[in-house]
């Protein structure tokens, strides 16, 4: 019983990220707010950068994010994980018939699943955006579908 407890404790504490794709770029579609293209690159097992070019409600933004990924495979199923991170965005928004430059900071958090036998990644995330000069977008949720190159 003591061995089982220690094994489970080690499994929970050790965060190896076997499900991710270090060095292999991912490119796909973001279905939600903002709607658009997404690209992600893992520069280590648990650290990634993501770029999003999206449109919504008369707004166009380009977002850059840093993400820290945590593997849940030992506790659940192979390929499942969660992530959290942040970054910044630039873009334009049409308000009162005029185009206005916008910029701000973003947070991101969500669940991530990489198929073990397919070069496909799915993620469901919440990405609140605080704009410096217009109203913020705090309820941005999306499902992203990405193809993993080199896998």
């Amino acid at each position: 019983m003591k061995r089982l407890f220690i094994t489970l404790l080690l499994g929970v504490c050790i965060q190896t990220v076997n499900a991710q794709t270090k060095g292999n770029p991912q490119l796909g579609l973001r279905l939600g707010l903002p709607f658009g293209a997404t690209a992600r690159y893992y520069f280590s097992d648990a650290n990634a950068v993501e770029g999003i070019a999206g449109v919504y409600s008369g707004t166009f933004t380009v977002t850059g994010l840093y993400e820290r990924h945590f593997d849940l495979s030992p506790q659940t199923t192979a390929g499942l994980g969660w992530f959290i991170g942040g970054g910044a965005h630039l873009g334009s928004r049409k308000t009162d018939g005029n185009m206005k430059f916008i910029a701000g900071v973003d947070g991101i958090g969500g669940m991530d699943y990489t198929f073990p036998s397919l070069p496909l990644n799915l993620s469901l995330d919440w990405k609140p955006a605080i704009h410096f000069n217009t109203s913020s977008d705090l309820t941005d949720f999306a499902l992203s579908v990405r193809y993993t190159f080199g896998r």
Side-chain angles (χ1 to χ4, degrees):
M1 184 68 173
K2 186 177 179 182
R3 266 194 171 157
L4 177 62
F5 176 74
I6 291 171
T7 303
L8 288 174
L9 183 62
L10 286 174
V12 170
C13 293
I14 297 173
Q15 293 291 332
T16 58
V17 187
N18 299 324
Q20 305 311 331
T21 54
K22 178 182 172 185
N24 295 339
Q26 298 176 335
L27 182 64
L29 190 61
R30 183 175 168 86
L31 308 168
L33 293 176
F35 175 83
T38 174
R40 184 189 285 163
Y41 181 79
Y42 286 90
F43 53 91
S44 74
D45 286 340
N47 298 290
V49 290
E50 181 176 0
I52 301 169
V55 296
Y56 62 101
S57 305
T59 303
F60 170 76
T61 58
V62 176
T63 305
L65 300 163
Y66 162 79
E67 299 170 348
R68 176 76 177 167
H69 289 255
F70 302 91
D71 190 21
L72 293 175
S73 296
Q75 297 86 13
T76 58
T77 186
L80 186 64
W82 69 278
F83 62 94
I84 190 165
H89 66 272
L90 298 171
S92 62
R93 175 174 278 174
K94 188 172 186 176
T95 55
D96 300 327
N98 299 319
M99 291 304 281
K100 187 175 188 178
F101 172 78
I102 61 172
V105 295
D106 298 79
I108 192 163
M111 298 295 292
D112 199 57
Y113 182 71
T114 301
F115 288 88
S117 59
L118 296 173
L120 191 62
N121 170 267
L122 300 174
S123 68
L124 179 63
D125 66 62
W126 173 50
K127 191 188 81 54
I130 299 172
H131 307 300
F132 296 138
N133 56 348
T134 63
S135 60
S136 297
D137 297 311
L138 302 177
T139 58
D140 291 355
F141 291 89
L143 171 70
S144 294
V145 181
R146 296 180 196 88
Y147 178 81
T148 304
F149 292 92
R151 189 153 182 242

